[in-house]
Amino acid sequence: MATGETGFDDVSFDLISLQYHSLKAGHDYGQYVRDARNAGREDIATFFESVMQQDSERAARCHEFLRELSGSDASGPALS
């Protein structure tokens, strides 16, 4: 795998990026849930909660992959 100037190979960088964005989005969705509930739209609040759960699961899966890569020859020096 190629390793850029950051010391991270592309796959590790991509997983870290996806994990970050999933967690960030989950934080934002909390406000969306509150907005929907304030508007009396429990159906939309439930939808946002479902999306938030999916992002949480996505972030956890990225974490699992990063744990697997950590210390391996494929991880590059940043995860070694």
Side-chain angles (χ1 to χ4, degrees):
M1 279 185 227
T3 301
E5 294 178 15
T6 63
F8 287 88
D9 64 277
D10 291 342
V11 172
S12 296
F13 180 86
D14 295 346
L15 286 166
I16 291 166
S17 181
L18 181 62
Q19 184 180 42
Y20 168 80
H21 289 289
S22 294
L23 293 170
K24 172 75 171 89
H27 178 270
D28 295 341
Y29 297 150
Q31 182 62 52
Y32 302 167
V33 170
R34 287 187 293 279
D35 290 346
R37 287 209 169 106
N38 288 340
R41 294 301 306 260
E42 189 61 34
D43 56 337
I44 296 173
T46 300
F47 167 73
F48 287 140
E49 287 174 331
S50 174
V51 172
M52 187 169 26
Q53 179 62 36
Q54 291 168 19
D55 269 335
S56 178
E57 292 168 3
R58 193 171 294 113
R61 188 68 174 128
C62 287
H63 189 75
E64 291 171 14
F65 282 129
L66 288 165
R67 189 176 320 124
E68 288 174 19
L69 288 173
S70 180
S72 74
D73 290 338
S75 68
L79 291 180
S80 296

